[in-house]
Amino acid sequence: MERIQVMVCAGTGCTIGNSGELIELFKEEIHSIGLQDEVSVLKTGCLGLCGFGPNICIYPDNIIYKSVKPEDVKEIVMEHFYKGRPVTRLMLNESDEVSKEILDINHTKFYEKQKRIALHNCGVIDPENVEEYIGKDGYAALGKALTEMSPQEVVDEIKASGLRGRGGGGFPTGVKWQAALNQPGDEKYVICNADEGDPGAFMDRSILEGNPHSILEAMAIAGYAIGAHHGYIYIRAEYPIAVERLETAISQAKELGLLGDNIFGTGFDFDLEIRLGAGAFVCGEETALIQSIQGERGMPIPKPPFPAERGVWGKPTIINNVETYANLTQIILNGADWFKSIGTETSPGTKVFALGGKITNTGLVEVPMGTTLREIIYEIGGGCPNRKEFKAVQTGGPSGGCLTEEQLDTPIGFDELIKLGSMMGSGGMIVLDEDNCMVDVARFYMDFIVDESCGKCTPCRVGTKRLLEILEKICNGEGTLDLLDELETLSHTIKDTALCGLGQSAPNPVLSTLEHFKDEYIAHVVDKKCPAGICKALLEYKVNPEKCRKCGLCARQCPVSAISGAVGKETYHIDMEKCIKCGNCIKACHFEAIERK
């Protein structure tokens, strides 16, 4: 048994940062000083600190080294592995001051309030080694379900746990399974929705990259519970690492008899296949996903009937997203009461969030339901960088809404966020600071929705396009107060009449920004000003004569010769008729003489 394990993050973010090269360098350096029998180097899943990658975790010390470069490898090996002195300069430091303190990662602000259930093996095992998964109780839940529980008992356990779908809707998982179990016939299907399309969301991808066997095991349990013998994992082709590890996991499980015929000798057969999606956001909607699996264009169809009654190939089908499945094995092993003891009464368990935007600790976090937004943003996330003021947080992706400073003490839960005009969604959480224009934020999300609308229903196809046109007029200085009224009225109309969840929730970013940041909209349409200085059409550049040193640096950087003056003699002036508002002059001026208003 090795005395040290070096776990190198091999998630997408760290892989792009050449973590694969680090693995080879560590092995070479360890071998060169004869420590190959004492130190092992393995790839693992996401460690959470995505903004600081590539990251490595050292066990049993529980120390994380962040932003590791190839030139750091020799120092880590010699100082830490050979001499026993951790390299403090590479460790996670949550203070503005240089700290010599060596912290177990579980006692850092980033980790101490987290509780990993869905992410329980990410960063701990090699995701491409089924033996490591089995060593962490892997497939024990499937064995328990098949040998100790009836299908109804499995469904009852999931219902008793209160597990709600983590894909955005928050529908009780056990209720969905019960509906499928009650359907007659022995041809049923299980689907994993891995079509993670929200901008800035990477929760499901990280689970699949770091712990793929947990999804296979959970889907087999779901198949047993409802009487299905075949499953599909619907995943977007833009996730090549996740796809590759799923393929490896399926192959390994079949070799060991954990998938396929007569699993554990119980007579239960279950097999899986992967279906690649083209990245359409609308295919996250379950009926559109089913259409895509069947080889048709991914477009929603009216409900009822629901998939549990008539799904893929017209047969009873249950669809759950990756994170929902990732909770299942732990519920079967530890019991419904254990799961319900975490979180809140109406939202048991934990939730994984992809924390991004204007935040110090960009990354993946998993916290118990009931944790407040303030705890996530300021304690786990470290607040806004560069001492900027927090402005809003967008939860739920394009379908969610923006919440303000006054709402940060809200405990996170499905129902609580909906009451505030936002939603949990799949778990995207984008932090915005004082430099963000909320009108422009609404325009960004509406531009995404227009691009991703399948076009089947008029409210979504035409209505969202009209919303985008109004927002663009406002950002371009062509807005009026009448347009603001039209923007709000049209948003409510789309919510009430669109066919599917995508269209019904599409206006949420508009409505929430109108409610909480009406003053910014007024400034755009009445004063023709963008308070955040983002909307180019409303910007004006001026040279402050008291600060101008007449050096001419700004003029030399202007690509359209919009700045005139004489070096050492004349204060410079910006011709706004020529100015293209590129901002080069502000970057060039060392004296803060150019003001943007």
Side-chain angles (χ1 to χ4, degrees):
M1 181 69 179
E2 306 92 347
R3 64 180 176 87
I4 294 176
Q5 284 190 323
V6 183
M7 307 300 294
V8 182
C9 177
T12 294
C14 289
T15 297
I16 292 171
N18 290 325
S19 62
E21 179 186 359
L22 292 179
I23 292 174
E24 297 307 314
L25 287 173
F26 269 113
K27 288 180 178 179
E28 291 175 10
E29 197 64 39
I30 289 166
H31 192 273
S32 71
I33 60 173
L35 291 179
Q36 62 271 17
D37 295 329
E38 299 180 49
V39 183
S40 62
V41 183
L42 303 170
K43 67 172 64 173
T44 190
C46 182
L47 294 166
L49 288 161
C50 306
F52 296 115
N55 301 306
I56 67 171
C57 188
I58 312 299
Y59 292 106
D61 298 340
N62 259 9
I63 291 174
I64 277 190
Y65 290 132
K66 61 184 180 66
S67 305
V68 179
K69 300 178 177 61
E71 53 267 31
D72 298 323
V73 171
K74 186 171 185 177
E75 181 181 2
I76 293 172
V77 172
M78 289 300 297
E79 291 296 315
H80 190 164
F81 306 161
Y82 186 71
K83 299 178 182 179
R85 301 185 300 206
V87 183
T88 54
R89 69 176 182 85
L90 294 173
M91 291 169 53
L92 175 62
N93 184 7
E94 298 173 315
S95 169
D96 291 335
E97 301 177 359
V98 177
S99 175
K100 299 287 186 183
E101 187 179 5
I102 298 172
L103 285 179
D104 181 312
I105 58 173
N106 294 319
H107 298 140
T108 61
K109 291 180 181 178
F110 182 78
Y111 284 106
E112 66 182 356
K113 288 199 172 183
Q114 293 195 48
K115 183 173 181 63
R116 289 194 160 198
I117 296 177
L119 297 173
H120 69 282
N121 277 336
C122 294
V124 178
I125 66 170
D126 180 349
E128 297 179 8
N129 188 335
V130 66
E131 293 181 0
E132 291 204 13
Y133 179 70
I134 292 173
K136 290 286 186 178
D137 294 328
Y139 291 102
L142 177 59
K144 178 180 178 181
L146 294 183
T147 61
E148 300 178 22
M149 304 171 75
S150 68
Q152 185 61 62
E153 287 174 330
V154 173
V155 173
D156 288 343
E157 192 75 8
I158 301 305
K159 283 197 291 188
S161 74
L163 176 66
R164 297 172 66 173
R166 291 333 196 223
F171 190 80
T173 303
V175 173
K176 182 185 291 187
W177 287 22
Q178 185 70 65
L181 174 60
N182 291 344
Q183 294 301 309
D186 59 358
E187 188 178 356
K188 301 177 184 179
Y189 292 91
V190 173
I191 294 176
C192 174
N193 180 355
D195 188 66
E196 186 175 46
D198 289 7
F202 49 94
M203 301 77 59
D204 292 352
R205 185 194 74 200
S206 297
I207 293 171
L208 293 172
E209 290 175 350
N211 197 16
H213 282 282
S214 68
I215 306 306
L216 310 189
E217 182 179 8
M219 291 182 72
I221 293 170
Y224 172 70
I226 70 164
H229 301 287
H230 196 86
Y232 297 98
I233 301 175
Y234 185 87
I235 181 171
R236 51 185 47 224
E238 292 100 320
Y239 285 179
I241 296 176
V243 172
E244 181 181 343
R245 289 181 187 163
L246 277 172
E247 291 173 340
T248 299
I250 290 172
S251 176
Q252 291 174 342
K254 286 182 177 180
E255 286 179 12
L256 295 178
L258 301 169
L259 284 179
D261 298 334
N262 194 27
I263 299 173
F264 289 129
T266 61
F268 174 65
D269 305 333
F270 188 78
D271 209 348
L272 282 170
E273 62 179 289
I274 297 171
R275 289 292 176 93
L276 298 182
F281 179 64
V282 73
C283 285
E285 196 278 336
E286 58 184 8
T287 61
L289 184 153
I290 288 171
Q291 299 299 304
S292 182
I293 285 179
Q294 294 176 163
E296 301 169 20
R297 183 178 176 186
M299 301 176 77
I301 59 175
K303 295 180 286 189
F306 294 94
E309 304 166 277
R310 188 161 186 237
V312 69
W313 315 121
K315 303 298 181 181
T317 304
I318 58 168
I319 304 176
N320 293 110
N321 87 317
V322 172
E323 187 184 341
T324 308
Y325 282 120
N327 283 279
L328 289 172
T329 60
Q330 299 302 297
I331 293 173
I332 296 297
L333 286 177
N334 298 300
D337 290 340
W338 165 82
F339 190 76
K340 287 184 70 174
S341 70
I342 304 163
T344 68
E345 184 177 352
T346 58
S347 298
T350 60
K351 182 72 189 78
V352 182
F353 290 99
L355 190 58
K358 304 294 185 65
I359 192 75
T360 300
N361 297 328
T362 299
L364 204 65
V365 303
E366 183 175 1
V367 294
M369 295 282 197
T371 303
T372 65
L373 290 165
R374 189 179 302 279
E375 288 175 290
I376 292 177
I377 293 169
Y378 285 101
E379 296 183 34
I380 297 173
C384 299
N386 303 317
R387 302 186 185 280
K388 295 286 186 178
E389 289 292 323
F390 169 88
K391 191 172 197 176
V393 57
Q394 169 84 9
T395 66
S399 303
C402 293
L403 304 176
T404 64
E405 172 78 31
E406 291 74 27
Q407 297 165 314
L408 290 186
D409 293 313
T410 301
I412 289 173
F414 292 100
D415 305 322
E416 289 80 1
L417 292 179
I418 289 175
K419 288 176 184 176
L420 296 177
S422 187
M423 62 188 300
M424 185 86 70
S426 60
M429 187 177 288
I430 308 298
V431 179
L432 309 170
D433 70 9
E434 61 189 84
D435 293 334
N436 286 105
C437 167
M438 301 311 294
V439 184
D440 180 65
V441 168
R443 183 207 58 77
F444 166 80
Y445 281 113
M446 195 51 56
D447 183 56
F448 176 84
I449 289 293
V450 168
D451 217 30
E452 294 293 340
S453 172
C454 74
K456 184 170 184 176
C457 74
T458 303
C460 186
R461 182 183 68 250
V462 179
T464 57
K465 177 65 174 175
R466 179 62 179 147
L467 285 180
L468 177 61
E469 290 171 354
I470 294 173
L471 289 167
E472 287 177 336
K473 283 185 178 181
I474 294 171
C475 289
N476 289 332
E478 301 166 6
T480 64
L481 291 174
D482 288 341
L483 270 183
L484 288 188
D485 292 336
E486 184 179 340
L487 189 69
E488 186 169 4
T489 300
L490 182 56
S491 294
H492 286 295
T493 301
I494 295 170
K495 281 182 72 71
D496 293 339
T497 57
L499 172 63
C500 79
L502 184 149
Q504 293 161 10
S505 59
N508 283 349
V510 176
L511 290 171
S512 65
T513 52
L514 272 172
E515 179 182 357
H516 300 303
F517 300 96
K518 189 71 171 280
D519 57 328
E520 289 198 28
Y521 281 89
I522 297 296
H524 280 69
V525 301
V526 176
D527 303 328
K528 305 300 179 185
K529 297 287 185 183
C530 176
I534 295 297
C535 300
K536 280 190 174 184
L538 302 178
L539 296 182
E540 184 177 348
Y541 289 76
K542 286 185 177 180
V543 177
N544 185 332
E546 295 181 2
K547 291 185 178 181
C548 181
R549 300 297 181 87
K550 306 173 186 178
C551 63
L553 281 175
C554 57
R556 289 197 291 273
Q557 293 300 318
C558 181
V560 292
S561 302
I563 305 177
S564 58
V567 175
K569 299 179 181 179
E570 183 182 339
T571 298
Y572 279 76
H573 170 75
I574 301 175
D575 183 350
M576 290 307 299
E577 293 294 324
K578 293 182 180 179
C579 179
I580 60 172
K581 303 169 184 176
C582 63
N584 283 355
C585 54
I586 292 180
K587 296 175 183 177
C589 182
H590 300 316
F591 312 105
E592 299 181 349
I594 298 174
E595 299 173 349
R596 182 176 64 186
K597 297 181 178 180

PDB file of all heavy atoms in Angstrom, residues 436-438 440 475 520 523-524 527-536 538-539 597:
ATOM      1  N   ASN A 436     -21.878  44.867 -14.283  1.00  0.00           N
ATOM      2  CA  ASN A 436     -22.837  44.228 -15.185  1.00  0.00           C
ATOM      3  C   ASN A 436     -24.051  45.118 -15.393  1.00  0.00           C
ATOM      4  O   ASN A 436     -24.586  45.686 -14.438  1.00  0.00           O
ATOM      5  CB  ASN A 436     -23.308  42.883 -14.632  1.00  0.00           C
ATOM      6  CG  ASN A 436     -22.252  41.807 -14.753  1.00  0.00           C
ATOM      7  OD1 ASN A 436     -21.620  41.433 -13.769  1.00  0.00           O
ATOM      8  ND2 ASN A 436     -22.053  41.291 -15.946  1.00  0.00           N
ATOM      9  N   CYS A 437     -24.496  45.216 -16.635  1.00  0.00           N
ATOM     10  CA  CYS A 437     -25.735  45.918 -16.964  1.00  0.00           C
ATOM     11  C   CYS A 437     -26.859  44.887 -16.984  1.00  0.00           C
ATOM     12  O   CYS A 437     -26.798  43.916 -17.747  1.00  0.00           O
ATOM     13  CB  CYS A 437     -25.618  46.606 -18.331  1.00  0.00           C
ATOM     14  SG  CYS A 437     -27.187  47.185 -18.981  1.00  0.00           S
ATOM     15  N   MET A 438     -27.886  45.086 -16.183  1.00  0.00           N
ATOM     16  CA  MET A 438     -28.939  44.089 -16.067  1.00  0.00           C
ATOM     17  C   MET A 438     -29.816  44.018 -17.316  1.00  0.00           C
ATOM     18  O   MET A 438     -30.394  42.975 -17.617  1.00  0.00           O
ATOM     19  CB  MET A 438     -29.792  44.368 -14.821  1.00  0.00           C
ATOM     20  CG  MET A 438     -28.996  44.363 -13.523  1.00  0.00           C
ATOM     21  SD  MET A 438     -27.908  42.913 -13.319  1.00  0.00           S
ATOM     22  CE  MET A 438     -29.110  41.608 -13.182  1.00  0.00           C
ATOM     23  N   ASP A 440     -28.573  44.380 -20.315  1.00  0.00           N
ATOM     24  CA  ASP A 440     -27.739  43.591 -21.211  1.00  0.00           C
ATOM     25  C   ASP A 440     -27.750  42.115 -20.815  1.00  0.00           C
ATOM     26  O   ASP A 440     -27.695  41.240 -21.675  1.00  0.00           O
ATOM     27  CB  ASP A 440     -26.299  44.131 -21.184  1.00  0.00           C
ATOM     28  CG  ASP A 440     -25.363  43.357 -22.092  1.00  0.00           C
ATOM     29  OD1 ASP A 440     -25.564  43.403 -23.322  1.00  0.00           O
ATOM     30  OD2 ASP A 440     -24.448  42.699 -21.575  1.00  0.00           O
ATOM     31  N   CYS A 475     -31.086  48.718 -25.425  1.00  0.00           N
ATOM     32  CA  CYS A 475     -29.623  48.771 -25.285  1.00  0.00           C
ATOM     33  C   CYS A 475     -28.989  49.721 -26.302  1.00  0.00           C
ATOM     34  O   CYS A 475     -27.896  50.244 -26.071  1.00  0.00           O
ATOM     35  CB  CYS A 475     -29.023  47.374 -25.438  1.00  0.00           C
ATOM     36  SG  CYS A 475     -29.373  46.259 -24.058  1.00  0.00           S
ATOM     37  N   GLU A 520     -32.567  50.741 -13.864  1.00  0.00           N
ATOM     38  CA  GLU A 520     -31.618  50.639 -14.971  1.00  0.00           C
ATOM     39  C   GLU A 520     -32.336  50.714 -16.316  1.00  0.00           C
ATOM     40  O   GLU A 520     -31.834  51.312 -17.277  1.00  0.00           O
ATOM     41  CB  GLU A 520     -30.803  49.347 -14.866  1.00  0.00           C
ATOM     42  CG  GLU A 520     -29.810  49.357 -13.725  1.00  0.00           C
ATOM     43  CD  GLU A 520     -28.717  48.306 -13.865  1.00  0.00           C
ATOM     44  OE1 GLU A 520     -28.387  47.931 -15.020  1.00  0.00           O
ATOM     45  OE2 GLU A 520     -28.202  47.869 -12.830  1.00  0.00           O
ATOM     46  N   ALA A 523     -33.188  54.333 -16.844  1.00  0.00           N
ATOM     47  CA  ALA A 523     -32.000  55.092 -17.258  1.00  0.00           C
ATOM     48  C   ALA A 523     -31.712  54.901 -18.739  1.00  0.00           C
ATOM     49  O   ALA A 523     -31.308  55.849 -19.443  1.00  0.00           O
ATOM     50  CB  ALA A 523     -30.794  54.664 -16.426  1.00  0.00           C
ATOM     51  N   HIS A 524     -31.926  53.707 -19.237  1.00  0.00           N
ATOM     52  CA  HIS A 524     -31.677  53.424 -20.655  1.00  0.00           C
ATOM     53  C   HIS A 524     -32.667  54.148 -21.568  1.00  0.00           C
ATOM     54  O   HIS A 524     -32.286  54.631 -22.642  1.00  0.00           O
ATOM     55  CB  HIS A 524     -31.754  51.919 -20.917  1.00  0.00           C
ATOM     56  CG  HIS A 524     -30.517  51.156 -20.547  1.00  0.00           C
ATOM     57  ND1 HIS A 524     -30.113  50.981 -19.247  1.00  0.00           N
ATOM     58  CD2 HIS A 524     -29.594  50.518 -21.313  1.00  0.00           C
ATOM     59  CE1 HIS A 524     -28.997  50.265 -19.222  1.00  0.00           C
ATOM     60  NE2 HIS A 524     -28.658  49.962 -20.457  1.00  0.00           N
ATOM     61  N   ASP A 527     -32.990  58.556 -19.719  1.00  0.00           N
ATOM     62  CA  ASP A 527     -31.739  59.317 -19.703  1.00  0.00           C
ATOM     63  C   ASP A 527     -30.804  58.950 -20.845  1.00  0.00           C
ATOM     64  O   ASP A 527     -29.799  59.622 -21.071  1.00  0.00           O
ATOM     65  CB  ASP A 527     -31.009  59.101 -18.376  1.00  0.00           C
ATOM     66  CG  ASP A 527     -31.856  59.471 -17.174  1.00  0.00           C
ATOM     67  OD1 ASP A 527     -32.669  60.406 -17.310  1.00  0.00           O
ATOM     68  OD2 ASP A 527     -31.723  58.813 -16.117  1.00  0.00           O
ATOM     69  N   LYS A 528     -31.118  57.842 -21.540  1.00  0.00           N
ATOM     70  CA  LYS A 528     -30.244  57.333 -22.602  1.00  0.00           C
ATOM     71  C   LYS A 528     -28.837  57.087 -22.075  1.00  0.00           C
ATOM     72  O   LYS A 528     -27.834  57.383 -22.725  1.00  0.00           O
ATOM     73  CB  LYS A 528     -30.203  58.291 -23.805  1.00  0.00           C
ATOM     74  CG  LYS A 528     -31.572  58.626 -24.385  1.00  0.00           C
ATOM     75  CD  LYS A 528     -32.307  57.394 -24.868  1.00  0.00           C
ATOM     76  CE  LYS A 528     -33.684  57.744 -25.424  1.00  0.00           C
ATOM     77  NZ  LYS A 528     -34.469  56.544 -25.797  1.00  0.00           N
ATOM     78  N   LYS A 529     -28.766  56.506 -20.873  1.00  0.00           N
ATOM     79  CA  LYS A 529     -27.498  56.188 -20.237  1.00  0.00           C
ATOM     80  C   LYS A 529     -27.517  54.745 -19.765  1.00  0.00           C
ATOM     81  O   LYS A 529     -28.546  54.215 -19.354  1.00  0.00           O
ATOM     82  CB  LYS A 529     -27.253  57.091 -19.018  1.00  0.00           C
ATOM     83  CG  LYS A 529     -27.127  58.577 -19.332  1.00  0.00           C
ATOM     84  CD  LYS A 529     -25.808  58.893 -20.014  1.00  0.00           C
ATOM     85  CE  LYS A 529     -25.651  60.396 -20.212  1.00  0.00           C
ATOM     86  NZ  LYS A 529     -24.378  60.715 -20.943  1.00  0.00           N
ATOM     87  N   CYS A 530     -26.352  54.100 -19.821  1.00  0.00           N
ATOM     88  CA  CYS A 530     -26.185  52.771 -19.255  1.00  0.00           C
ATOM     89  C   CYS A 530     -25.364  52.930 -17.978  1.00  0.00           C
ATOM     90  O   CYS A 530     -24.157  53.194 -18.051  1.00  0.00           O
ATOM     91  CB  CYS A 530     -25.466  51.839 -20.234  1.00  0.00           C
ATOM     92  SG  CYS A 530     -25.109  50.205 -19.559  1.00  0.00           S
ATOM     93  N   PRO A 531     -26.000  52.838 -16.803  1.00  0.00           N
ATOM     94  CA  PRO A 531     -25.284  53.080 -15.540  1.00  0.00           C
ATOM     95  C   PRO A 531     -24.030  52.228 -15.369  1.00  0.00           C
ATOM     96  O   PRO A 531     -23.073  52.658 -14.732  1.00  0.00           O
ATOM     97  CB  PRO A 531     -26.338  52.738 -14.476  1.00  0.00           C
ATOM     98  CG  PRO A 531     -27.652  52.953 -15.155  1.00  0.00           C
ATOM     99  CD  PRO A 531     -27.430  52.539 -16.578  1.00  0.00           C
ATOM    100  N   ALA A 532     -24.028  51.002 -15.925  1.00  0.00           N
ATOM    101  CA  ALA A 532     -22.868  50.115 -15.775  1.00  0.00           C
ATOM    102  C   ALA A 532     -21.808  50.364 -16.835  1.00  0.00           C
ATOM    103  O   ALA A 532     -20.714  49.798 -16.762  1.00  0.00           O
ATOM    104  CB  ALA A 532     -23.324  48.662 -15.822  1.00  0.00           C
ATOM    105  N   GLY A 533     -22.135  51.188 -17.824  1.00  0.00           N
ATOM    106  CA  GLY A 533     -21.161  51.473 -18.878  1.00  0.00           C
ATOM    107  C   GLY A 533     -20.896  50.299 -19.800  1.00  0.00           C
ATOM    108  O   GLY A 533     -19.781  50.122 -20.284  1.00  0.00           O
ATOM    109  N   ILE A 534     -21.926  49.496 -20.063  1.00  0.00           N
ATOM    110  CA  ILE A 534     -21.768  48.306 -20.899  1.00  0.00           C
ATOM    111  C   ILE A 534     -22.344  48.498 -22.292  1.00  0.00           C
ATOM    112  O   ILE A 534     -21.738  48.101 -23.289  1.00  0.00           O
ATOM    113  CB  ILE A 534     -22.445  47.087 -20.223  1.00  0.00           C
ATOM    114  CG1 ILE A 534     -21.734  46.739 -18.919  1.00  0.00           C
ATOM    115  CG2 ILE A 534     -22.459  45.879 -21.158  1.00  0.00           C
ATOM    116  CD1 ILE A 534     -20.298  46.310 -19.082  1.00  0.00           C
ATOM    117  N   CYS A 535     -23.511  49.105 -22.385  1.00  0.00           N
ATOM    118  CA  CYS A 535     -24.193  49.261 -23.679  1.00  0.00           C
ATOM    119  C   CYS A 535     -23.492  50.335 -24.506  1.00  0.00           C
ATOM    120  O   CYS A 535     -23.597  51.541 -24.216  1.00  0.00           O
ATOM    121  CB  CYS A 535     -25.660  49.611 -23.467  1.00  0.00           C
ATOM    122  SG  CYS A 535     -26.566  48.350 -22.531  1.00  0.00           S
ATOM    123  N   LYS A 536     -22.776  49.934 -25.536  1.00  0.00           N
ATOM    124  CA  LYS A 536     -21.902  50.828 -26.287  1.00  0.00           C
ATOM    125  C   LYS A 536     -22.620  52.022 -26.887  1.00  0.00           C
ATOM    126  O   LYS A 536     -22.092  53.133 -26.931  1.00  0.00           O
ATOM    127  CB  LYS A 536     -21.195  50.051 -27.404  1.00  0.00           C
ATOM    128  CG  LYS A 536     -19.999  49.244 -26.939  1.00  0.00           C
ATOM    129  CD  LYS A 536     -19.210  48.715 -28.133  1.00  0.00           C
ATOM    130  CE  LYS A 536     -17.938  48.025 -27.673  1.00  0.00           C
ATOM    131  NZ  LYS A 536     -17.115  47.585 -28.829  1.00  0.00           N
ATOM    132  N   LEU A 538     -24.866  53.758 -25.813  1.00  0.00           N
ATOM    133  CA  LEU A 538     -25.207  54.785 -24.832  1.00  0.00           C
ATOM    134  C   LEU A 538     -23.979  55.372 -24.140  1.00  0.00           C
ATOM    135  O   LEU A 538     -24.116  56.190 -23.227  1.00  0.00           O
ATOM    136  CB  LEU A 538     -26.153  54.200 -23.774  1.00  0.00           C
ATOM    137  CG  LEU A 538     -27.467  53.618 -24.313  1.00  0.00           C
ATOM    138  CD1 LEU A 538     -28.295  53.038 -23.175  1.00  0.00           C
ATOM    139  CD2 LEU A 538     -28.263  54.672 -25.048  1.00  0.00           C
ATOM    140  N   LEU A 539     -22.804  54.962 -24.552  1.00  0.00           N
ATOM    141  CA  LEU A 539     -21.576  55.436 -23.904  1.00  0.00           C
ATOM    142  C   LEU A 539     -21.075  56.733 -24.527  1.00  0.00           C
ATOM    143  O   LEU A 539     -21.257  56.987 -25.721  1.00  0.00           O
ATOM    144  CB  LEU A 539     -20.482  54.376 -23.999  1.00  0.00           C
ATOM    145  CG  LEU A 539     -20.724  53.053 -23.278  1.00  0.00           C
ATOM    146  CD1 LEU A 539     -19.523  52.142 -23.429  1.00  0.00           C
ATOM    147  CD2 LEU A 539     -21.039  53.272 -21.816  1.00  0.00           C
ATOM    148  N   LYS A 597     -18.858  57.561 -19.719  1.00  0.00           N
ATOM    149  CA  LYS A 597     -20.127  57.816 -19.030  1.00  0.00           C
ATOM    150  C   LYS A 597     -21.283  57.243 -19.842  1.00  0.00           C
ATOM    151  O   LYS A 597     -21.210  57.115 -21.038  1.00  0.00           O
ATOM    152  CB  LYS A 597     -20.338  59.313 -18.834  1.00  0.00           C
ATOM    153  CG  LYS A 597     -19.264  59.960 -17.939  1.00  0.00           C
ATOM    154  CD  LYS A 597     -19.553  61.425 -17.762  1.00  0.00           C
ATOM    155  CE  LYS A 597     -18.523  62.077 -16.849  1.00  0.00           C
ATOM    156  NZ  LYS A 597     -18.774  63.526 -16.662  1.00  0.00           N
TER     157      LYS A 597
END
